């Protein structure tokens, strides 16, 4: 009852001053205008890339008050795809992501600091392989505006990196392959 | 003219099954496949334990897959051979219960071999990649049947292979029991020792 009242107030507020208020977006996973990619060095000679095909998330972003931005992403780790079935099977096994035990990974933001040039530092907690650790993501806004179908969209890219062993993944891939990089492309449709 | 015909018949008699005994074709395929089953199980367990920097990391899985495909072809040959050849009658001393048990045991072995071959194939071909058989020829992939096929097929591969090795052990124990306790010709028939006029 109380929640509905607050929601009603918030909605009225949003309607009254639409562009100025923080807007809530749903990550466009349905239309696949978002992707969660990873890369790791192969022996130090090249990059191996892969991605997670299934995920969902929401974010809030208001360009007049970017520091209030928030994002929450949930990734289905069983959807890992490196375009090689035998490798995918190995990466899902307890040697790596142990997806039988930890079928989801999560990122929950705790802070957002705009640099003033369209880039920002997004801080948050990443849960992967059952381990939760703070991670900073370097974010860059790509653009926002109306889409041709009556909606409103905003999109960002982000990169971050961490050591596999920080998340309890201790399989030895060699000295050049201890750090994994995440390349995130996120487009949201305003709710 | 008659001589040639007789010679042909004698050859055919050796390769094909008779009422009493297995022919050389089935006997050789049986033992090659037995050897493969015994060798492939530890090889498979070894593969999943290989670490990235093992020199065998690439070559052992390649052998395992190559042998597996050849095994599948032999299995197909065996099913085909079964269709066009008679099955030797059970030794006279086998009771009805033993005959039924034998049939069930053999059916289980065939089903498990089929399950192991198919599930193994479905792991490696889940992404559409063909399987190279000793860089000799390649078996193409079928379109993936289910999501995360390599994981589901991997679980089936492990458990059907484990069941197969257990069944093969029981199969061997049963054969030894026939040979040393019942003292019948069960084992001799698959080794190819022909008993004159028996």
């Amino acid at each position: 009852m109380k929640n509905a009242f607050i929601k009603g107030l918030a909605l009225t507020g949003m309607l009254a001053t639409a562009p100025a208020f923080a807007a809530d977006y749903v990550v466009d996973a349905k239309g696949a205008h978002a992707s969660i990619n990873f890369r790791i060095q192969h022996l130090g000679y090249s990059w191996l890339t892969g991605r997670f095909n299934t995920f969902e998330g929401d974010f809030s972003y208001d360009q007049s008050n970017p520091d209030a931005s928030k994002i929450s992403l949930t990734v289905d780790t069983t959807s890992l795809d490196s375009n090689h079935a035998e490798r995918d099977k190995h990466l899902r096994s307890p040697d790596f992501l142990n997806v039988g035990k930890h079928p989801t990974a999560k990122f929950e933001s705790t802070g957002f600091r705009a640099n003033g040039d369209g880039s920002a530092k997004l801080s948050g907690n990443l849960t992967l392989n059952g381990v939760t650790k703070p991670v900073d993501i370097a974010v860059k806004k790509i653009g926002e505006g109306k889409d041709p179908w009556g909606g409103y969209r905003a999109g960002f890219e982000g990169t971050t990196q961490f050591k596999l062993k920080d998340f309890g993944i201790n399989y030895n891939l060699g000295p050049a392959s201890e750090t994994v990089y995440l390349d995130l492309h996120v487009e949201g449709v305003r709710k | 003219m008659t001589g040639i015909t007789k010679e042909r018949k004698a050859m055919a008699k050796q390769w094909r099954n008779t009422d009493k005994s297995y022919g050389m074709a089935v006997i050789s395929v049986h033992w090659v496949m037995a050897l493969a089953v015994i060798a492939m199980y530890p090889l498979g367990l070894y593969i999943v334990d290989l670490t990235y920097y093992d020199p065998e990391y690439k070559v052992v899985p390649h052998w395992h897959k190559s042998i597996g495909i050849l095994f599948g072809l032999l299995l197909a040959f065996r099913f085909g051979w079964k269709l066009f050849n008679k099955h030797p009658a059970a030794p006279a001393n086998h009771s009805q219960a033993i005959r039924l048990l034998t049939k069930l045991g053999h059916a289980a072995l065939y089903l498990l071999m089929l399950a192991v071959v198919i599930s193994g194939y479905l792991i490696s071909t889940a992404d559409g990649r063909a399987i190279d058989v000793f860089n000799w020829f390649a078996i193409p992939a079928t379109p993936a049947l289910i999501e995360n096929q390599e994981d589901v097929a991997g679980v089936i591969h492990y458990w059907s292979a484990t069941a197969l090795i257990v069944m093969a052990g029981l199969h061997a124990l049963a054969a030894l029991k026939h040979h040393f306790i019942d003292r019948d010709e069960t084992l001799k028939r698959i080794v190819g020792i022909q008993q004159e006029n028996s």
Side-chain angles (χ1 to χ4, degrees):
Chain A
M1 198 54 198
K2 199 180 167 193
N3 271 337
F5 179 61
I6 292 171
K7 237 184 201 167
L9 261 187
L11 277 172
T12 323
M14 269 177 76
L15 286 173
T17 54
F21 257 68
D24 291 331
Y25 293 82
V26 58
V27 173
D28 190 15
K30 203 170 146 193
H33 294 112
S35 61
I36 297 175
N37 311 287
F38 61 85
R39 62 192 154 91
I40 190 163
Q41 291 252 319
H42 182 225
L43 306 170
Y45 305 149
S46 72
W47 289 106
L48 177 278
T49 67
R51 63 186 192 192
F52 293 94
N53 288 330
T54 310
F55 53 88
E56 56 182 26
D58 306 276
F59 65 85
S60 304
Y61 176 79
D62 171 13
Q63 55 183 336
S64 63
N65 184 19
D67 287 358
S69 301
K70 281 188 290 196
I71 185 164
S72 159
L73 269 174
T74 306
V75 179
D76 174 1
T77 54
T78 67
S79 71
L80 179 146
D81 180 0
S82 72
N83 194 25
H84 191 302
E86 290 165 359
R87 177 171 53 220
D88 295 349
K89 179 173 177 288
H90 193 196
L91 293 178
R92 291 186 199 116
S93 79
D95 276 347
F96 292 94
L97 292 180
N98 201 3
V99 304
K101 206 171 158 207
H102 307 295
T104 54
K106 265 200 176 87
F107 180 78
E108 211 56 71
S109 71
T110 53
F112 190 95
R113 218 186 57 226
N115 298 328
D117 58 356
S119 72
K121 188 175 92 174
L122 173 67
S123 308
N125 291 315
L126 175 65
T127 305
L128 184 67
N129 191 30
V131 179
T132 303
K133 287 244 164 89
V135 159
D136 288 339
I137 301 177
V139 171
K140 205 178 131 201
K141 185 174 160 191
I142 307 296
E144 72 174 292
K146 286 179 188 157
D147 67 25
W149 317 286
Y152 190 93
R153 293 168 184 257
F156 303 85
E157 65 181 9
T159 55
T160 189
Q161 62 189 74
F162 51 83
K163 298 240 186 235
L164 283 176
K165 66 170 188 284
D166 290 346
F167 288 88
I169 299 165
N170 298 309
Y171 193 88
N172 179 24
L173 290 169
S177 309
E178 292 174 350
T179 300
V180 66
Y181 296 77
L182 290 185
D183 298 320
L184 313 161
H185 302 279
V186 174
E187 179 179 295
V189 184
R190 199 160 70 188
K191 289 179 184 171
Chain B
M1 191 68 195
T2 17
I4 292 166
T5 321
K6 257 185 188 164
E7 229 175 72
R8 269 202 192 137
K9 265 188 180 164
M11 282 288 288
K13 216 175 180 181
Q14 280 192 318
W15 282 107
R16 296 172 75 98
N17 298 345
T18 67
D19 287 330
K20 292 205 182 87
S21 192
Y22 293 104
M24 281 311 292
V26 167
I27 291 174
S28 16
V29 171
H30 169 269
W31 287 105
V32 168
M33 288 173 82
L35 200 68
V37 167
I38 295 164
M40 289 284 268
Y41 191 71
L43 205 57
L45 293 179
Y46 180 62
I47 285 170
V48 291
D49 262 0
L50 278 171
T51 61
Y52 204 59
Y53 278 77
D54 272 303
E56 285 83 33
Y57 189 77
K58 283 192 171 283
V59 71
V60 172
H62 176 61
W63 289 346
H64 185 88
K65 287 184 278 180
S66 300
I67 296 169
I69 293 297
L70 295 176
F71 184 88
L73 295 177
L74 279 180
L75 187 64
F77 166 79
R78 223 166 147 183
F79 282 132
W81 189 264
K82 256 178 150 5
L83 284 179
F84 299 106
N85 281 271
K86 52 185 156 199
H87 195 259
N93 66 312
H94 286 191
S95 69
Q96 287 299 50
I98 287 289
R99 285 173 200 213
L100 180 66
L101 216 56
T102 303
K103 273 218 169 78
L104 289 174
H106 289 173
L109 283 167
Y110 280 120
L111 281 176
L112 287 170
M113 287 191 285
L114 197 62
V116 173
V117 167
I118 291 174
S119 58
Y121 167 84
L122 289 178
I123 299 172
S124 296
T125 58
D127 53 15
R129 278 183 177 72
I131 297 178
D132 265 327
V133 180
F134 290 119
N135 302 322
W136 168 26
F137 62 94
I139 294 280
T142 51
L145 305 169
I146 47 167
E147 197 134 310
N148 294 351
Q149 176 172 302
E150 58 274 21
D151 298 320
V152 178
V155 171
I156 296 172
H157 194 59
Y158 173 73
W159 286 108
S160 55
T162 303
L164 177 60
I165 203 83
V166 169
M167 276 306 293
L170 292 175
H171 177 63
L173 283 177
L176 291 173
K177 184 247 181 200
H178 282 297
H179 191 72
F180 290 110
I181 297 173
D182 302 339
R183 295 182 173 277
D184 62 23
E185 76 267 34
T186 309
L187 183 59
K188 282 182 189 162
R189 298 200 314 179
I190 195 68
V191 180
I193 298 169
Q194 307 261 354
Q195 290 196 321
E196 295 296 322
N197 304 321
S198 69

